[in-house]
Amino acid sequence: MNKPLNTNVPTGLVSGKAKLRMNLIMLVVLGLYIFSSVMTNSSVLRFNAEFFENVWVMVVQLFPPNWAYAGVVWGKLMETVKMALIATTIAGLLCIPFSLLAANNIVHNKFLYNFTKMFLNIMRTIPELILAVVFVGLFGIGVFSGILALIIFSLGILAKLISETIEAIDMNPLEAIRASGGNTLQVIWYAVVPQVLPQFVSFTLYVFEINVRASVVLGFVGAGGIGLILRQQINFLSYQNVSTIIVITFVVVVIIDYISNKLRGRLV
Amino acid sequence: MIEFKDLSLVYPNGTQGLKNVNVKINEGEFVVIVGLSGAGKSTFIRSINRMVTPTHGELLVDDENILKYKGNDLRKLRTKVGMIFQNYNLVKRSTVMKNVISGRLGHTGTLRSILNLYKKEDMALAYESLKRVNIEEKLYSRADQLSGGQQQRVSIARVLTQQPSVVLADEPVASLDPPTSHQVMKYLKKINREDNITTIVNLHFIDMAMEYADRIIGMRSGEIVFDGPASEVNEKTFEEIYGRPIKEDDIRGGKDDNEQTP
């Protein structure tokens, strides 16, 4: 029983060679972290006394919010919400043909299907901020440019989400409608639409939430809405106005997200 | 009249669905196709409304070869030939009425059907069809709130609303319990008799085939191996069609149900 251990008994769970390789990889990765940290001058050491002093200075500058400025903020914020609303609605309508064309159980033509998919992929890769810059260049500063940027941005997301929903539907009712002599549009309207409608509404509300948040940023490049005055007030160093903007925007975005979440929970 | 002339179908993956099928089905007949699964029953039925397209031969419906049909002709054929499915194939989130009126789609313009602007006669016809299968009180229920038997009745109502001259039923009772199965078969038989609708039903239960069919066609590996009146059929015939002894699964039973039937 108490014989010395056989030399053939394995010493670990992986071979010595694999262990060495793993350790080397770990070292290289660690080295990359240190290198990036040094090059970007970012480390925990930056949270020093000076940092906390700055926080204090900032807090003092931001408080109290200038409530007299709230009227201006409210108007601009509503502009932002309106931008999001219009853009989401138009994108919601436009995405219907796109999501049908990008569903492989509806479109059997491989070329058309792949082309639509690729087109949507390209649209999704362009950041909304870049779209806004482009449209501001083409149409000038203002809400219209922002709306166009949001439409294209949300069209890409919506069409992807909805085409994937369409690809997952029950195909049997489609067969039945086709077997009773329905044409393609009738098959879509009678068998596809009822099956995806709840998800369609849910995704559109979700994209509306995203658009409200995105349109706050769009104002920074001149595409209308609350971001415009946010940048302006930061440049003017009127931090008490800035904090009014931040507080009101935060409250409104939270309320919109809450309502939208509740609505989506009731669906599907 | 439906006539198969040397009809064959080879699926793209090489499976032979139908092999040199020659058969004539007369107007108003109640034909039951029997055979094991994979024998070609579904392919046989689905060829008639061109849900699948045979690769050789001719298929005549009312003296026209339907294999050449495309687009409009195909849709016209499908309004004439109604179909009932094993899984009912209702749109579950839509109301019973919307499911039933969809039987009129082949007769209704696209715009009208999208805006739900159905003719009064069509609405009346849909309601009448629901009454014929005794489910009119579920008019505005959502299809997914109904039991399996009720859903199959709604799908019969949908076919009736189509006013077809032929009804194809692909394993209409395979997902139902015995009493409900008999109820559904009785409704099919009733509309076959009352409206003189040619009815072709796929079944694999031998007792049901013998009880409801006028004529039984037996299939095995894509070929017709038996064709004769139901009165000439006995268990021995089925053993020949199936190529094996009859098992318990081949019998539905539950004939003496006390459920309310027409």
mmCIF file of all heavy atoms in Angstrom, chain A residues 111-137:
data_model
loop_
_atom_site.group_PDB
_atom_site.id
_atom_site.type_symbol
_atom_site.label_atom_id
_atom_site.label_comp_id
_atom_site.label_asym_id
_atom_site.label_seq_id
_atom_site.Cartn_x
_atom_site.Cartn_y
_atom_site.Cartn_z
ATOM 1 N N PHE A 111 -29.077 36.515 -53.968
ATOM 2 C CA PHE A 111 -28.393 37.771 -54.270
ATOM 3 C C PHE A 111 -29.063 38.937 -53.555
ATOM 4 O O PHE A 111 -28.429 39.719 -52.856
ATOM 5 C CB PHE A 111 -28.372 38.001 -55.783
ATOM 6 C CG PHE A 111 -27.783 39.329 -56.168
ATOM 7 C CD1 PHE A 111 -26.398 39.509 -56.161
ATOM 8 C CD2 PHE A 111 -28.598 40.392 -56.487
ATOM 9 C CE1 PHE A 111 -25.854 40.731 -56.485
ATOM 10 C CE2 PHE A 111 -28.065 41.627 -56.821
ATOM 11 C CZ PHE A 111 -26.688 41.796 -56.812
ATOM 12 N N LEU A 112 -30.394 39.016 -53.714
ATOM 13 C CA LEU A 112 -31.161 40.104 -53.103
ATOM 14 C C LEU A 112 -31.003 40.083 -51.580
ATOM 15 O O LEU A 112 -30.781 41.118 -50.937
ATOM 16 C CB LEU A 112 -32.634 39.953 -53.483
ATOM 17 C CG LEU A 112 -33.575 41.085 -53.072
ATOM 18 C CD1 LEU A 112 -33.124 42.393 -53.677
ATOM 19 C CD2 LEU A 112 -34.997 40.765 -53.504
ATOM 20 N N TYR A 113 -31.081 38.865 -51.015
ATOM 21 C CA TYR A 113 -30.975 38.713 -49.568
ATOM 22 C C TYR A 113 -29.606 39.184 -49.066
ATOM 23 O O TYR A 113 -29.503 40.003 -48.152
ATOM 24 C CB TYR A 113 -31.211 37.240 -49.222
ATOM 25 C CG TYR A 113 -30.810 36.837 -47.832
ATOM 26 C CD1 TYR A 113 -31.570 37.219 -46.739
ATOM 27 C CD2 TYR A 113 -29.670 36.058 -47.615
ATOM 28 C CE1 TYR A 113 -31.219 36.852 -45.464
ATOM 29 C CE2 TYR A 113 -29.313 35.681 -46.339
ATOM 30 C CZ TYR A 113 -30.084 36.084 -45.265
ATOM 31 O OH TYR A 113 -29.718 35.720 -44.003
ATOM 32 N N ASN A 114 -28.547 38.687 -49.710
ATOM 33 C CA ASN A 114 -27.198 39.060 -49.273
ATOM 34 C C ASN A 114 -26.926 40.544 -49.479
ATOM 35 O O ASN A 114 -26.273 41.179 -48.661
ATOM 36 C CB ASN A 114 -26.149 38.232 -50.024
ATOM 37 C CG ASN A 114 -26.085 36.827 -49.477
ATOM 38 O OD1 ASN A 114 -26.266 36.616 -48.276
ATOM 39 N ND2 ASN A 114 -25.857 35.864 -50.352
ATOM 40 N N PHE A 115 -27.455 41.082 -50.590
ATOM 41 C CA PHE A 115 -27.251 42.495 -50.876
ATOM 42 C C PHE A 115 -27.892 43.352 -49.787
ATOM 43 O O PHE A 115 -27.260 44.275 -49.253
ATOM 44 C CB PHE A 115 -27.846 42.836 -52.246
ATOM 45 C CG PHE A 115 -27.668 44.264 -52.645
ATOM 46 C CD1 PHE A 115 -26.438 44.691 -53.157
ATOM 47 C CD2 PHE A 115 -28.690 45.187 -52.482
ATOM 48 C CE1 PHE A 115 -26.254 46.012 -53.508
ATOM 49 C CE2 PHE A 115 -28.509 46.508 -52.832
ATOM 50 C CZ PHE A 115 -27.285 46.922 -53.351
ATOM 51 N N THR A 116 -29.138 43.018 -49.430
ATOM 52 C CA THR A 116 -29.819 43.795 -48.388
ATOM 53 C C THR A 116 -29.072 43.679 -47.064
ATOM 54 O O THR A 116 -28.883 44.663 -46.348
ATOM 55 C CB THR A 116 -31.267 43.288 -48.197
ATOM 56 O OG1 THR A 116 -31.830 43.035 -49.469
ATOM 57 C CG2 THR A 116 -32.099 44.304 -47.462
ATOM 58 N N LYS A 117 -28.663 42.452 -46.723
ATOM 59 C CA LYS A 117 -27.935 42.243 -45.467
ATOM 60 C C LYS A 117 -26.675 43.102 -45.428
ATOM 61 O O LYS A 117 -26.363 43.738 -44.424
ATOM 62 C CB LYS A 117 -27.554 40.756 -45.326
ATOM 63 C CG LYS A 117 -28.665 39.906 -44.779
ATOM 64 C CD LYS A 117 -28.328 39.410 -43.394
ATOM 65 C CE LYS A 117 -29.545 39.519 -42.496
ATOM 66 N NZ LYS A 117 -29.716 38.493 -41.509
ATOM 67 N N MET A 118 -25.946 43.085 -46.553
ATOM 68 C CA MET A 118 -24.679 43.824 -46.599
ATOM 69 C C MET A 118 -24.950 45.325 -46.461
ATOM 70 O O MET A 118 -24.273 46.019 -45.698
ATOM 71 C CB MET A 118 -23.976 43.538 -47.926
ATOM 72 C CG MET A 118 -22.509 43.851 -47.921
ATOM 73 S SD MET A 118 -21.790 43.477 -49.538
ATOM 74 C CE MET A 118 -22.538 44.719 -50.544
ATOM 75 N N PHE A 119 -25.969 45.800 -47.173
ATOM 76 C CA PHE A 119 -26.345 47.210 -47.106
ATOM 77 C C PHE A 119 -26.656 47.618 -45.665
ATOM 78 O O PHE A 119 -26.173 48.646 -45.172
ATOM 79 C CB PHE A 119 -27.558 47.438 -48.010
ATOM 80 C CG PHE A 119 -28.093 48.835 -47.994
ATOM 81 C CD1 PHE A 119 -27.367 49.866 -48.569
ATOM 82 C CD2 PHE A 119 -29.312 49.118 -47.396
ATOM 83 C CE1 PHE A 119 -27.851 51.162 -48.549
ATOM 84 C CE2 PHE A 119 -29.804 50.408 -47.375
ATOM 85 C CZ PHE A 119 -29.074 51.438 -47.953
ATOM 86 N N LEU A 120 -27.427 46.779 -44.973
ATOM 87 C CA LEU A 120 -27.795 47.088 -43.590
ATOM 88 C C LEU A 120 -26.572 47.052 -42.679
ATOM 89 O O LEU A 120 -26.433 47.867 -41.763
ATOM 90 C CB LEU A 120 -28.853 46.103 -43.087
ATOM 91 C CG LEU A 120 -30.231 46.230 -43.727
ATOM 92 C CD1 LEU A 120 -31.148 45.112 -43.276
ATOM 93 C CD2 LEU A 120 -30.856 47.580 -43.422
ATOM 94 N N ASN A 121 -25.682 46.097 -42.932
ATOM 95 C CA ASN A 121 -24.461 46.009 -42.134
ATOM 96 C C ASN A 121 -23.632 47.278 -42.262
ATOM 97 O O ASN A 121 -23.123 47.801 -41.275
ATOM 98 C CB ASN A 121 -23.608 44.812 -42.572
ATOM 99 C CG ASN A 121 -24.164 43.516 -42.016
ATOM 100 O OD1 ASN A 121 -24.880 43.530 -41.011
ATOM 101 N ND2 ASN A 121 -23.849 42.419 -42.660
ATOM 102 N N ILE A 122 -23.506 47.754 -43.499
ATOM 103 C CA ILE A 122 -22.727 48.973 -43.730
ATOM 104 C C ILE A 122 -23.377 50.144 -42.984
ATOM 105 O O ILE A 122 -22.696 50.924 -42.314
ATOM 106 C CB ILE A 122 -22.632 49.277 -45.238
ATOM 107 C CG1 ILE A 122 -21.760 48.204 -45.916
ATOM 108 C CG2 ILE A 122 -22.044 50.660 -45.477
ATOM 109 C CD1 ILE A 122 -21.739 48.298 -47.418
ATOM 110 N N MET A 123 -24.707 50.228 -43.075
ATOM 111 C CA MET A 123 -25.400 51.327 -42.396
ATOM 112 C C MET A 123 -25.173 51.285 -40.899
ATOM 113 O O MET A 123 -25.075 52.329 -40.246
ATOM 114 C CB MET A 123 -26.888 51.249 -42.695
ATOM 115 C CG MET A 123 -27.200 51.723 -44.079
ATOM 116 S SD MET A 123 -28.676 52.700 -44.123
ATOM 117 C CE MET A 123 -29.866 51.542 -43.607
ATOM 118 N N ARG A 124 -25.120 50.064 -40.353
ATOM 119 C CA ARG A 124 -24.942 49.947 -38.900
ATOM 120 C C ARG A 124 -23.536 50.302 -38.455
ATOM 121 O O ARG A 124 -23.340 50.694 -37.312
ATOM 122 C CB ARG A 124 -25.298 48.541 -38.441
ATOM 123 C CG ARG A 124 -26.656 48.432 -37.804
ATOM 124 C CD ARG A 124 -26.811 47.206 -36.940
ATOM 125 N NE ARG A 124 -26.052 46.068 -37.425
ATOM 126 C CZ ARG A 124 -26.422 45.278 -38.404
ATOM 127 N NH1 ARG A 124 -27.552 45.503 -39.016
ATOM 128 N NH2 ARG A 124 -25.684 44.255 -38.787
ATOM 129 N N THR A 125 -22.556 50.113 -39.346
ATOM 130 C CA THR A 125 -21.181 50.372 -38.916
ATOM 131 C C THR A 125 -20.865 51.861 -38.833
ATOM 132 O O THR A 125 -19.930 52.240 -38.144
ATOM 133 C CB THR A 125 -20.158 49.728 -39.879
ATOM 134 O OG1 THR A 125 -20.665 49.865 -41.184
ATOM 135 C CG2 THR A 125 -19.909 48.285 -39.551
ATOM 136 N N ILE A 126 -21.628 52.706 -39.523
ATOM 137 C CA ILE A 126 -21.337 54.141 -39.469
ATOM 138 C C ILE A 126 -21.868 54.704 -38.152
ATOM 139 O O ILE A 126 -23.053 54.611 -37.878
ATOM 140 C CB ILE A 126 -22.008 54.895 -40.641
ATOM 141 C CG1 ILE A 126 -21.665 54.206 -41.961
ATOM 142 C CG2 ILE A 126 -21.566 56.344 -40.664
ATOM 143 C CD1 ILE A 126 -22.415 54.774 -43.146
ATOM 144 N N PRO A 127 -21.003 55.303 -37.320
ATOM 145 C CA PRO A 127 -21.474 55.869 -36.057
ATOM 146 C C PRO A 127 -22.407 57.048 -36.326
ATOM 147 O O PRO A 127 -22.205 57.790 -37.294
ATOM 148 C CB PRO A 127 -20.198 56.351 -35.371
ATOM 149 C CG PRO A 127 -19.083 55.711 -36.100
ATOM 150 C CD PRO A 127 -19.558 55.471 -37.485
ATOM 151 N N GLU A 128 -23.411 57.215 -35.463
ATOM 152 C CA GLU A 128 -24.402 58.270 -35.709
ATOM 153 C C GLU A 128 -23.767 59.649 -35.680
ATOM 154 O O GLU A 128 -24.216 60.578 -36.358
ATOM 155 C CB GLU A 128 -25.563 58.173 -34.716
ATOM 156 C CG GLU A 128 -25.281 58.630 -33.300
ATOM 157 C CD GLU A 128 -24.772 57.511 -32.407
ATOM 158 O OE1 GLU A 128 -24.210 56.533 -32.944
ATOM 159 O OE2 GLU A 128 -24.943 57.612 -31.178
ATOM 160 N N LEU A 129 -22.677 59.783 -34.915
ATOM 161 C CA LEU A 129 -22.019 61.089 -34.816
ATOM 162 C C LEU A 129 -21.424 61.497 -36.167
ATOM 163 O O LEU A 129 -21.510 62.654 -36.584
ATOM 164 C CB LEU A 129 -20.915 61.023 -33.753
ATOM 165 C CG LEU A 129 -20.691 62.308 -32.962
ATOM 166 C CD1 LEU A 129 -21.987 62.785 -32.322
ATOM 167 C CD2 LEU A 129 -19.635 62.087 -31.903
ATOM 168 N N ILE A 130 -20.846 60.510 -36.865
ATOM 169 C CA ILE A 130 -20.266 60.790 -38.180
ATOM 170 C C ILE A 130 -21.361 61.132 -39.173
ATOM 171 O O ILE A 130 -21.254 62.067 -39.960
ATOM 172 C CB ILE A 130 -19.427 59.589 -38.655
ATOM 173 C CG1 ILE A 130 -18.265 59.424 -37.692
ATOM 174 C CG2 ILE A 130 -18.995 59.759 -40.114
ATOM 175 C CD1 ILE A 130 -17.127 58.619 -38.191
ATOM 176 N N LEU A 131 -22.485 60.386 -39.095
ATOM 177 C CA LEU A 131 -23.626 60.702 -39.960
ATOM 178 C C LEU A 131 -24.080 62.133 -39.714
ATOM 179 O O LEU A 131 -24.347 62.884 -40.656
ATOM 180 C CB LEU A 131 -24.781 59.751 -39.661
ATOM 181 C CG LEU A 131 -24.634 58.308 -40.128
ATOM 182 C CD1 LEU A 131 -25.722 57.441 -39.521
ATOM 183 C CD2 LEU A 131 -24.704 58.243 -41.644
ATOM 184 N N ALA A 132 -24.121 62.522 -38.434
ATOM 185 C CA ALA A 132 -24.573 63.871 -38.089
ATOM 186 C C ALA A 132 -23.624 64.907 -38.680
ATOM 187 O O ALA A 132 -24.063 65.905 -39.258
ATOM 188 C CB ALA A 132 -24.675 64.020 -36.579
ATOM 189 N N VAL A 133 -22.316 64.672 -38.564
ATOM 190 C CA VAL A 133 -21.332 65.612 -39.112
ATOM 191 C C VAL A 133 -21.557 65.782 -40.616
ATOM 192 O O VAL A 133 -21.575 66.893 -41.150
ATOM 193 C CB VAL A 133 -19.893 65.124 -38.823
ATOM 194 C CG1 VAL A 133 -18.879 65.953 -39.599
ATOM 195 C CG2 VAL A 133 -19.608 65.175 -37.336
ATOM 196 N N VAL A 134 -21.768 64.628 -41.302
ATOM 197 C CA VAL A 134 -21.979 64.668 -42.747
ATOM 198 C C VAL A 134 -23.228 65.473 -43.089
ATOM 199 O O VAL A 134 -23.208 66.365 -43.938
ATOM 200 C CB VAL A 134 -22.090 63.232 -43.314
ATOM 201 C CG1 VAL A 134 -22.542 63.267 -44.774
ATOM 202 C CG2 VAL A 134 -20.758 62.505 -43.182
ATOM 203 N N PHE A 135 -24.331 65.208 -42.386
ATOM 204 C CA PHE A 135 -25.588 65.893 -42.714
ATOM 205 C C PHE A 135 -25.550 67.374 -42.339
ATOM 206 O O PHE A 135 -26.160 68.205 -43.016
ATOM 207 C CB PHE A 135 -26.780 65.192 -42.060
ATOM 208 C CG PHE A 135 -27.147 63.905 -42.745
ATOM 209 C CD1 PHE A 135 -27.140 62.704 -42.058
ATOM 210 C CD2 PHE A 135 -27.470 63.903 -44.096
ATOM 211 C CE1 PHE A 135 -27.466 61.525 -42.695
ATOM 212 C CE2 PHE A 135 -27.794 62.723 -44.744
ATOM 213 C CZ PHE A 135 -27.786 61.524 -44.042
ATOM 214 N N VAL A 136 -24.826 67.687 -41.257
ATOM 215 C CA VAL A 136 -24.670 69.102 -40.912
ATOM 216 C C VAL A 136 -23.923 69.807 -42.042
ATOM 217 O O VAL A 136 -24.256 70.930 -42.424
ATOM 218 C CB VAL A 136 -23.943 69.269 -39.559
ATOM 219 C CG1 VAL A 136 -23.491 70.715 -39.365
ATOM 220 C CG2 VAL A 136 -24.864 68.861 -38.418
ATOM 221 N N GLY A 137 -22.938 69.110 -42.624
ATOM 222 C CA GLY A 137 -22.210 69.666 -43.758
ATOM 223 C C GLY A 137 -23.111 69.878 -44.968
ATOM 224 O O GLY A 137 -22.987 70.854 -45.694
#
